[in-house]
Amino acid sequence: MFSYLLPEIKLSLEFSERKFLLCIADIILIISGIVSSLWYWAYKTGRGFSLQLLSAHSAWVVAMGIGWLVWMFINDLYDLRIAVKVRRTIQRIGWGGAIVGLIYLLYYFLTSPLPLNENTVSLRFAPAVAILNTTILLLTWRLMYALVFGVGHACQRVLIIGAGVTGTILAEAFKQYPHYQAIGFIDDDRKLHGKVCQNIPVLGNRHNLSADIDRYNVDEIVLAISRPIDEELLQLLTNFHERGIAITPMPVLYEKITGKVAVEHIGSQWYSALPLKKNPFDTFNRIGKRILDLICGTIIGLVLAVVFPFVAIAIKLDSPGAIFYKQERVGQYGAKFTVYKFRSMVQNAERNGKAQWAVKGDARITKVGNFIRKTRLDELPQVLNVLRGEMSMVGPRPERYQFIKELQQQIPFYRTRLAVKPGLTGWAQINYGYGSTTEDALIKLQYDLYYLKHWSPWLDLKILLRTFSVVLKMQGQ
């Protein structure tokens, strides 16, 4: 009788639902771990726990809470590919607890002016308990998530209509995202029936759809066809939608799970590659972006002033030549400007005057250059371009005119990336890094188009935090 009141709850949560679940549970557990430690300290010292007590210690409570969330974020623990891997989860949360604990020790035992007595020792013990509590709670929850949602029965079960190149590209992407499981392909081409593409069988044609959906308990149908949908197929999809089956175009799902726009597979849906919808708060957002550029630019400028003598001396001792390297790049709306970097290659690296891609293991890169590229220190002088308004802190990588001239003829929508200011860092840079081929340029464009379509102050902040993680891990190239 309760089946009418409580509908069946499916374990195969949507992509966005999983991220929300991870985030909200982390916040609740972090707050619980910190507040419970403060309650324990109040209990041990005979004080009553109250809002006044919480307010009095709000500084370390808030700092620790934000610190944990930032650590989880910059270590990709909200990347669903990482969240289902037990070993990586344990390592990254464990390191988080150790680093938060080290910061706590440095603060309370090196800078705190409080004299050591019974009360202050127990107070200093409260943050230690909070770190331990939070680490245990987060580890327990994340392990439960990985064990429950990282298995087959928790996947979003998908049927792909279209076993061509577009469909197989999506199936290939699913291999990296275990929360989606491709059950099979549906294709009207009888020659494909019974064959296997990307280890996924071609089940049959559209007339088998209803039976296949019931047999495999399908959650979602993905349209991976570039031609217009005919009336018969449209009616079938409408019927399945009424039954609660999600109907999703391939470019939309591919964009959602990979953070890229499938520019070479959109077919007649060309509009899905462009940011056509105007944000009603666009003017305020752009003002906010410029303010963020000035604030971050000033901070990075101070960092540049501190590290400049050391980097300059290292470059000079390592190889003969100038300290700085300048080059003409193309900015917003195709405007040319001069970009500045610390020299990381030998002097006159392009002796024939022809633009060359930098490749992995490039022999032109010096020893010091290899280090400053990995730590992104070579990019610091570009803060001058940011402060002058030629670049932004976040945006597509500024490219050379010669490369743009070539790539725009080979890759559709390539010049679209010139609609915004180039960035010191960007969505493509943190997800893919440097490119040295036309194929690399295509992948980076996919990321750049995603950034253009989904740009917001929050996305800029997300990219800046991820860039900080890249710098700490020395993942630059």
Side-chain angles (χ1 to χ4, degrees), residues 168 171-172 175 181-185 195-202:
T168 53
E172 179 69 23
K175 293 179 181 179
Q181 180 183 2
I183 301 301
F185 292 103
K195 293 187 177 182
V196 175
C197 302
Q198 297 290 345
N199 296 321
I200 301 168
V202 181

Side-chain angles (χ1 to χ4, degrees), residues 459-474:
L459 181 57
D460 275 1
L461 179 60
K462 179 178 180 179
I463 292 169
L464 289 171
L465 289 173
R466 287 276 301 277
T467 302
F468 180 66
S469 175
V470 169
V471 171
L472 288 180
K473 297 175 183 177
M474 296 181 64

Side-chain angles (χ1 to χ4, degrees), residues 11-43:
L11 194 58
S12 55
L13 298 178
E14 292 280 356
F15 188 85
S16 56
E17 291 174 330
R18 292 183 181 224
K19 284 194 170 185
F20 178 77
L21 177 63
L22 284 173
C23 185
I24 198 68
D26 285 348
I27 292 173
I28 292 172
L29 292 176
I30 290 169
I31 293 173
S32 299
I34 294 173
V35 172
S36 64
S37 70
L38 196 57
W39 172 87
Y40 179 73
W41 171 75
Y43 170 77

Side-chain angles (χ1 to χ4, degrees), residues 26 40 55 66 76 80 186 200 216 267 287 302 310 416 459 475:
D26 285 348
Y40 179 73
S55 177
I66 293 175
D76 299 324
L80 298 183
I186 298 295
I200 301 168
Y216 299 108
I287 294 173
L302 295 175
F310 305 99
T416 305
L459 181 57
Q475 293 178 336

Side-chain angles (χ1 to χ4, degrees), residues 25-200:
D26 285 348
I27 292 173
I28 292 172
L29 292 176
I30 290 169
I31 293 173
S32 299
I34 294 173
V35 172
S36 64
S37 70
L38 196 57
W39 172 87
Y40 179 73
W41 171 75
Y43 170 77
K44 291 291 290 184
T45 56
R47 305 184 182 191
F49 181 77
S50 62
L51 290 177
Q52 288 81 1
L53 179 67
L54 189 61
S55 177
H57 300 284
S58 59
W60 71 264
V61 168
V62 172
M64 188 177 294
I66 293 175
W68 263 114
L69 288 173
V70 169
W71 175 263
M72 301 286 280
F73 179 80
I74 66 175
N75 278 276
D76 299 324
L77 285 168
Y78 296 106
D79 184 331
L80 298 183
R81 293 170 295 178
I82 304 297
V84 295
K85 296 180 180 178
V86 173
R87 185 175 178 180
R88 289 192 184 183
T89 297
I90 293 174
Q91 288 177 338
R92 298 184 185 196
I93 293 179
W95 273 109
I99 290 174
V100 173
L102 178 62
I103 294 173
Y104 149 70
L105 288 173
L106 291 173
Y107 178 77
Y108 274 99
F109 288 97
L110 296 180
T111 65
S112 178
L114 295 175
L116 289 175
N117 56 52
E118 184 178 351
N119 287 334
T120 58
V121 168
S122 61
L123 173 59
R124 292 174 181 179
F125 186 65
V129 174
I131 295 168
L132 182 62
N133 283 353
T134 308
T135 303
I136 292 173
L137 287 172
L138 288 174
L139 276 173
T140 303
W141 151 238
R142 286 309 191 105
L143 289 176
M144 287 175 57
Y145 176 90
L147 293 174
V148 173
F149 290 97
V151 294
H153 66 79
C155 294
Q156 186 82 349
R157 299 168 67 81
V158 175
L159 268 181
I160 303 174
I161 296 183
V165 175
T166 303
T168 53
I169 287 290
L170 181 63
E172 179 69 23
F174 283 160
K175 293 179 181 179
Q176 301 181 49
Y177 298 86
H179 39 282
Y180 279 97
Q181 180 183 2
I183 301 301
F185 292 103
I186 298 295
D187 201 292
D188 289 339
D189 187 351
R190 293 186 178 183
K191 296 178 182 178
L192 297 175
H193 295 176
K195 293 187 177 182
V196 175
C197 302
Q198 297 290 345
N199 296 321
I200 301 168

Side-chain angles (χ1 to χ4, degrees), residues 336-383:
K336 297 179 182 179
F337 67 99
T338 301
V339 72
Y340 300 92
K341 301 173 69 174
F342 281 124
R343 182 174 60 84
S344 61
M345 292 187 174
V346 296
Q347 190 75 4
N348 299 320
E350 295 177 341
R351 293 180 181 177
N352 59 5
K354 184 179 179 181
Q356 300 178 36
W357 297 98
V359 297
K360 189 173 183 180
D362 199 318
R364 297 174 297 167
I365 300 175
T366 64
K367 293 179 180 178
V368 170
N370 185 55
F371 174 78
I372 63 177
R373 287 169 79 96
K374 285 184 177 297
T375 55
R376 298 285 177 93
L377 287 174
D378 64 318
E379 309 277 1
L380 287 184
Q382 293 180 52
V383 72

